[in-house]
Every structure is written in structure tokens, then in C-alpha cells.
Amino acid sequence: MTSYVDSTAPGEGRRAPRADLRTDAPRLSLNGRWRFRLSPTADGADGPFDDWDTIRVPAHWVLEGHGEPWYTNTAYPFPLDPPHVPNDNPTGDYRLRFDLPPHWPDTVTVLRFQGVDSCAKVWLNGTELGHSKGSRLPFEFEVTGLLHPRDNVLAVRVHRWSSGSYLEDQDMWWLPGIFRDVELLARPAGSVDDVFVHAGFADGVGTLRVDADRPGVVEIPSLSLRFDTGTEVSVEGVEPWSAESPTLYRGTLVAGGERVDLAIGFRTVSIVDGRLLVNGRPVLMRGVNRHEHDPHRGRALDLETMRRDVLLMKRHNINAVRTSHYPPHPEFLRLCDEYGLWVVDECDIETHGFAYSGWKGNPPADPAWRDALLDRARRMVERDKNHPSVIIWSLGNESDAGAAFADMEEWIRDRDPSRPIHYERDRSYRHSDFHSVMYPSLDELSAIGQRAEPAPEGVSADDAARSRTLPHLLCEYGHAMGNGPGSLADYQKILEGSDRFCGAFVWEWIDHGLWGTDADGVPYLRHGGDIDVKPNGDRFCLDGLVFADRTPSPGLIEYAKVIEPVLVDVKPSGITLRNRYDVSDLAHLRLLWTVADDGTPVASGELAVPDVPARGSASVAVPEAALAAAPGTGERWLSVRAVLAADTSWAAAGHEVAWGQGMLAVFRPPSRRANGSALSARIDPATGRLLGLGDLAISGPWLDVWRAPIENDHGHGGLNELSRAWRAVGMDRFLHRTDEVRTEDDGTVVVRVHSGPATQTLALTAEYRWAPVDDRSVHLRVRVEPVGIWDGTPIGHHSVTPPRLGLRFGLPAAIGAAEWFGRGPHESYVDSFTAARVGRFRAEVDALQTPYPVPQENGNHVETRWLRLLGAGVPRLRVTGDPHFAFTVRRWTTEDLDRAVHPQDLRPSETVWLNVDHLQQGLGSASCGPALPDRYRIPVKPYEFGVTLSVE
Ligand code: GAL
């Protein structure tokens, strides 16, 4: 039985889609508390009205105490039998009684829904208005003549599943309900319904035409312009709009007594010789994929949350957003216009789950769905066409190929020839102005940069040849799931290295975690696997650069640094500034410098900002005063920070946008030599491990090769499953056997230990040489050698390699803080340390762990020169590198971290665990992406490293 719920029809009774306009005509928000009743099937339930609950609108009912949210990645949560959905189809009946405000005009009135998931049927005062699908797109009904001054009853029946759900298989929570605003709009007689602003910019001149469905007059006071709709005017001396300099000219269109607000940004988007240009200049988008998400409210975002996203992005040097994978709330685009972000506006279409039928029945390829797909394209373009920030239309995500994309393309090109079109998944790229891929390896991306990518399978030679002429838009890379992603700097280098690239978008902006409580009432962020429904996409929704509460993760800090708009290259011979802005010079910045010895500032000052045009560079001399500072101790570093000279709309004066550092000199202290004093280390003659160091109780070291696997260690879809291979060979359970403890004539204690897992021959033998330095210090030199069969258990075609190589020590729980000189303050790894500057840092032990919502390895610090651990009532421990080491300090073991399922499972132990590592494997982004490059793994070979341990 097919009803409107499972017919492919996109809707019925709706008005034609049009622009989202702000006007001075009367408007009544119908947001607020509505009556609500949930029934198990699409038929709803009969019965009295008085037992209905109440619910807030906008919201998702599953986040308001009615049923559960449900997360899947690619799977449809119902049988793949398009366009049908099961009888079990939770259906929410919504009812609102409302009065019209006094003096509501007796004119055309429109009822608008900005977003209802997934299908709504609407009645007003008993009259059925129609229905609509297309969750993240607006729909309107004309209700003229149906309204009363008082006691109107608006009823909306919302179905969780509908034919529309087949087009909405994005990797995200299924969240039903009226989740965007509902409003009533008076349309004064003679007013315009739709407006299309055409504002271009070329050769210093703006052109402007405002089309409307009825005649009206346009006024832009700041440009002294007044002209009729439909007339094109040229405007000399306008500032063009760009993400860097988002100049908006505000004005009005007056028709039928109504004033429509206009926010005009002059800009022209073009593709010339295979490059994307805006206003005639090349642009490199440094972007993110943004889903709408709030950990309490799902996709029902308020304006402040949207603004927070925009501000956070701007403050982290992000200049572009792909609205993955649907048009966002219209206010978000207004914010992008205002604050300046390039936008790839993506249509609400994804049919990924048809992968499970081998793409049989895929809607874009089936004419029965043509109207439904076109309807979505039209509603997006009509709604968003006036935003200068929107520079590219995307036809949707991961929906394979089909004729409907040709229809959508044709319709869009006809309606809005001013913007290029993007679609990634049809490898012929026939309906796309961009070549585009997701998650390439570094090598694959380099080939794309050289327009030398291999022809995709099944694509004609002509299509392949054409696609090589297109600019490349990297729509997803850098999978930010858990700790990571690594290699952002490597990718950026490639992206900056070829003019084919117009932009890249990290996957993704925010973790989609939803607050809930565990059995003990402890609040925590839930992922798909925390809710008892099947199938579910488990933790795959936690892959953002910001945590679900919008706290920046170390990944975001790294990204901000990697894409900083000025490259500040500091060398003793001079400072080079490379301006990476596409439009701006550097006049809005100040350059502040500091010279520090081992992290302690010894001189500082300010550099004059040279005149550097967009994409240009300049050299400046190292300031005299920096060179003149008297010799000190340790490493002398010159740091130069580029900060905002004045307040902007998105950050205050002084906000840092870029920085660079270079080492000027090293002042070596006189070397300390063994003075014949006894070894301060007390070593157990049986195990060869420490019993104490001076008065400090310290245990260890244990040779440590294990890390609590990060999400990227698990790989994806059976590929790159390093963690599985590690466990198979026992990397997580090394056992140790001390073979020898002896003291040499000079007092050096030599310990030989064999460390390896049960069942395997593979092992590491280590020789530890403990040499006295003075009565408070001991030098430890470690030589490690692999023995046994390491090639036996391959991962893919690789042999197993350990995730870590270092020493683990146990310390008293009284240790409360760490101070170090090295990279910080954030955690860093071999493939993610660009944002960690060399300096002197201090942190509480509890702050040295990053609270990833799924516990995993974290808190590493590469290139540490020395570390001091301090606590009340215990001697301080100092670790000095030979020259560098990496450290991790935490109140639980790696094994505890590995076992923990949620953060609340981690409890401080009686020991503070310190890892002094020679190496730790990089992060990569194999949780959805290529294998970790070999250079970030730890080859199985002999190693030698040393540290000095001192008590202070
Ligand atoms: C892509 C997809 C995204 C997301 C991502 C992995 O294939 O477009 O929606 O699923 O992978 O997190």
C-alpha cells in the first residue's frame, strides 16, 4: 500500500520554492511548546486530545524524551525496498493552538517550515494543506483565508521514515521532528515573493541587478544607488566580497509597501584554465565539513551555536565550509556572509546504503525519483541563491551516479549560471565542474596535483581527459576520529604545491556525541554504539576537530597552525614571511618577537610589517635587539607571532593568526661527569629495575612497546587494522625476563632483559647501562635489539611494527604537575607537531590527558629536552634527554586506558605512570583513509637512546 509516506512524490500543496528573505512584513514565530503525541505507525493514533504531552518546537522528539536517537553510517535502518518503509514508523502528531497578533493584515499569508525530518503532513483549522519531504529544506503553504484572529489549530503529522529517508542516508543520527523554525508570514499586496540578487565584480567594477517576480525599487544608501528591479547597474569603487574581506552593502528592495533587506556582496566566481577564481584571483579553501550538531539538541541549533561555530572556525584560520551533507539553517549562511567563509552548499541527498544492493535501485538512476531529486536541488538553490558566501553548489554526497544528476545540473545551470557545481561520487565528473575525491593518500594527492591521476575504472577516455583539466576540490580528508588526524601538514604542503587545488575540507568539524547518563547516573557523551539499536555505526560519529561540546581538540589546533595565513620562517640569517592570504596584504597584522633561552624570555620587541601582497613574500632582518641579547644558557629560540592589529568582527586585537620559530644558538652547559660518587639509583639486583632514586620512590623501567590503540589504529573496513595485528602477536602483553645484572669497575650497572609476548619468538632484548653522573643523577643508556620472527604476522602486506618504543616508570601519586622544555603545550606526535611550539610549559598531571570520548592513547609530547615532575612532599624528578625524548604522564596505565570504554571508566590509581619514549608511532587517519605512511611507523631494527634521571 503506497501512501504519501512512501510515494516518491516530494510533496503536495506546497508553494514554489523561493529565496529566504528578511522583510518588515508581519511575521509570527510559531516556535514554542506544542502539544505532542507519539504513535508507533504512520497512521497515528485516534483518541482524546487531552492526554497529549507537550514538546518544544523546534526539536527532535528523540532528544526530548520520546524514543531514542539512532545512528548509522551507511546502513539504512529499514529494509532496502525503495520507496517503502516499515509499518513500524514512529509518528509524531504535533498540535499548536495560536492567536494572530492584533492587526494581522488581511493579506496573503504563508506558513513556513524551515525543516522537518522526514515527512510532514499539515492541517490548519481542519483543512489539509499538503505534505512535504526533504528534511533540511524549507516548504511553505499558502494559508490565506484559513486563519481566524483567535484559536487557530495547526496540526502536523511527522513520520520518522518515509520515501524521503532513502535520499537522506548521510552518516549521521536519524533525528525526527520539527527541528527548524515554524513561522507565519504576511505577504502584503504587491510585495515580491522572490528576489534574485546578481552582484558581480570584475576589473574593479561591480555589477548589480536585482530580479524579482514583481516590480520594485532597490536602494543601497552607502553606494548612493536607487534603481528598479531588473535593471543592471555598474558600480565603480566597490569593495568585492571575499571570505577574507566580507564587505556587504546593505540595502532594501521596496515593493507593495514591503521592505526586503538586501545584503549584497559583489563577487564573481569563475573557472579559468582549470583553476577556480573568485574576482579573478585564485582561491585556496582551507575548509571543514560541517554537520549541524549540538550534543543536547541534535540538529536543532540556535543562532548562538551557529555563531560559535563560525567564530571558532575564523579563529582557527578556517576559511571555508562544506555544508555536509545538506543545506544548513539559513541563518548559518547569513553568518558566513557576514563574517566571511567560503561555502560549498550541499544538497540534501545521500543514498549511500544502496551500496548494499550493488547500487541496484539507486534513486538518482531511477526516473521514478527524478522529481524528488530535482525538488531538492530547486529548494536549495532558490533558498540560498542570494548568499555571496555560497560560491559552489554541491549536488549531494555519495549517491553513485544517475541521470537525475544530469537533470539537477541542467536545472541549476539554467537558473544560476553564476556558480560552479560540485559532485564527487560520479567518477566521470560529467556533472561536476571539479575533479574531486575523498581520503587520498599523499601520493595519490600529489598525482592529482600534477593532473596525472590514473583514469578511474569504467570511465571513458574522454571523460577522464576532461576531468584532468578541472580544478580539484578535495571534499574530504584528514579523518578527525579520535586522536588525530596526522599528516595535515603533509597534505597542506601538497595542496599549496599545485594551482590545480582550490580547496580541501577536513572530515569533519564536530563530534556527533549526544549527552546521556550511564547506569550510575554519570553524564557522558553517547555514540551510536551506546544506544541499543541495530544496525548502528558505533563510534564512527565521533570524528570532529571539536569535541561535541565544541572544545577544540588538539587536531583543530594543529589544523589552525598548518593552514595559518602567514608562513613565518625564522632563521638566524633572516625572517621570511609568506603571505598565504588570497586577497589581503599583511597590513592588518602586527609582528611580535621574543627571544627565549630554554623557554625563558630574554628579549622581546616588535617588527615593522613589510608590505606583502596576497600570495607574495618578503624577507626581514632578524631584529638587532634579538641578536644583541647577552649569551645565556640552553637553546636560544626566536619566535615571531603575527597577531591582529585591531579588533575584527571575529576576534579581538592581539589574536594570534600565525607564528614561526627558529633556533639562534645553543649555549652548552659544561658537561657534568661522573665524580666518583656512588650511584644515586638503587637497583634491584634481581630484576635490574629501580627501587628508588635518591629519596624518590620510583619503579621501572619496563621496556614499553604498547599504546592504547587510537581509532586510526583500528583501520576501516578491514584495511589497516594495526591494532588487530598488534594484539594477535601480543604487543599488548609483553613479558620481561632479566638475564643479567652486573656492576662494572667504574660503577656502571649493566642490566640485560629479554622482553616479548607469550606464544611468539619475536622479542626485544635490551641492555640498560646505569652510569652515575653525580650524587643526584644517573645516566641511563638503552640499547634495544629485535630478536625472533617479526615478519611472521603481516598486517596487509606489512610486517608488524610496534606502536611505541620506550621506558615506563611508576611514580608516587603525589606527583601533581609537570614542567618541561620542548614542544607544547598540546600533545604532539611525529606526524602532528606543527602546532606544538618549542618552549617551556607547565601542566597539572590531570590536564596532561586529552579526554577523548572513547579512551585511547593520548598526551604524548615529542622532542622534549627535559621534563620535571613535581608534587607535594616528594622529591622532584628531572628527566633530561640525549637530546630528545617523548613523554606521557597519567594516573592510569596504558592497559587501563585500553580497557576503558568510556571516560568515566578511568580512575586514578595509586601510581603516576610516566612514559619516557624514544619513539611513538604517528597518528595517521586510517579510521577512514589511507594507511599510515611507513615513515611514521617504527621499523623493527636496533635502537639506542639515553636519558639522565635526577632527583632535585
Ligand atoms: C565519507 C562520508 C562522510 C563520512 C566520512 C567518514 O565517506 O562522505 O559522510 O561518512 O566518510 O566519517
Side-chain angles (χ1 to χ4, degrees), residues 587-929:
H588 63 292
L589 299 174
R590 291 173 65 193
L591 294 172
L592 309 177
W593 63 264
T594 311
V595 171
D597 288 349
D598 267 6
T600 305
V602 295
S604 61
E606 185 162 355
L607 278 172
V609 178
D611 189 12
V612 193
R615 293 188 168 221
S617 45
S619 296
V620 290
V622 172
E624 283 296 317
L627 296 171
T633 50
E635 294 179 19
R636 170 162 291 181
W637 284 77
L638 169 60
S639 303
V640 180
R641 304 167 56 232
V643 305
L644 291 178
D647 292 350
T648 64
S649 61
W650 50 271
H655 167 81
E656 181 182 279
V657 302
W659 56 269
Q661 289 183 304
M663 193 155 76
L664 296 183
V666 188
F667 307 108
R668 290 256 170 252
S671 67
R672 288 192 289 172
R673 326 193 91 226
N675 57 7
S677 62
L679 194 65
S680 55
R682 280 173 285 115
I683 292 173
D684 183 328
T687 65
R689 289 198 198 96
L690 287 171
L691 294 166
L693 191 62
D695 291 336
L696 177 70
I698 177 171
S699 56
W702 291 268
L703 189 72
D704 200 354
V705 294
W706 183 229
R707 78 172 178 190
I710 63 169
E711 295 288 12
N712 294 319
D713 295 334
H714 301 313
H716 181 52
L719 293 174
N720 304 316
E721 293 178 295
L722 300 187
S723 61
R724 217 159 71 119
W726 290 335
R727 285 191 213 279
V729 300
M731 279 303 141
D732 56 337
R733 49 189 157 80
F734 262 38
L735 298 168
H736 309 272
R737 182 191 71 235
T738 306
D739 288 335
E740 185 182 8
V741 180
R742 69 185 151 84
T743 306
E744 294 186 343
D745 291 348
D746 63 357
T748 301
V749 176
V750 179
V751 181
R752 284 196 308 105
V753 182
H754 174 281
S755 301
T759 72
Q760 303 290 316
T761 62
L762 69 80
L764 295 169
T765 57
E767 186 190 82
Y768 301 81
R769 297 183 67 83
W770 297 91
V773 177
D774 58 32
D775 52 6
R776 288 178 313 156
S777 302
V778 59
H779 182 262
L780 169 62
R781 184 130 209 96
V782 187
R783 280 179 43 202
V784 179
E785 221 166 290
V787 295
I789 303 165
W790 281 82
D791 292 342
T793 310
I795 321 160
H797 57 281
H798 294 286
S799 311
V800 75
T801 56
R804 154 182 259 144
L805 184 74
L807 307 174
R808 190 192 296 194
F809 296 92
L811 294 162
I815 297 288
E819 278 175 11
W820 71 100
F821 176 56
R823 291 196 179 266
H826 305 283
E827 63 186 32
S828 54
Y829 295 83
V830 279
D831 58 349
S832 178
F833 65 82
T834 318
R837 61 192 94 206
V838 176
R840 190 174 169 149
F841 304 97
R842 185 194 155 97
E844 301 302 307
V845 167
D846 295 334
L848 283 168
Q849 289 285 283
T850 305
Y852 291 102
V854 174
Q856 56 196 284
E857 190 65 47
N858 70 90
N860 187 56
H861 298 269
V862 295
E863 294 182 12
T864 308
R865 280 67 164 171
W866 57 255
L867 165 74
R868 190 179 276 139
L869 294 175
L870 3 108
V874 281
R876 293 170 173 191
L877 171 69
R878 180 179 160 117
V879 184
T880 311
D882 255 10
H884 296 166
F885 60 96
F887 81 88
T888 307
V889 183
R890 53 181 160 235
R891 295 197 182 277
W892 37 79
T893 59
T894 303
E895 291 70 22
D896 294 333
L897 191 59
D898 183 14
R899 255 190 309 270
V901 176
H902 294 114
Q904 62 269 34
D905 301 335
L906 290 165
R907 304 272 153 73
S909 68
E910 282 309 301
T911 304
V912 165
W913 295 99
L914 163 68
N915 257 93
V916 173
D917 292 328
H918 182 50
L919 294 166
Q920 187 181 148
Q921 170 175 301
L923 302 172
S925 64
S927 54
C928 180

Side-chain angles (χ1 to χ4, degrees), residues 80 393 621 623 936:
L80 190 49
W393 300 118
Y936 297 131

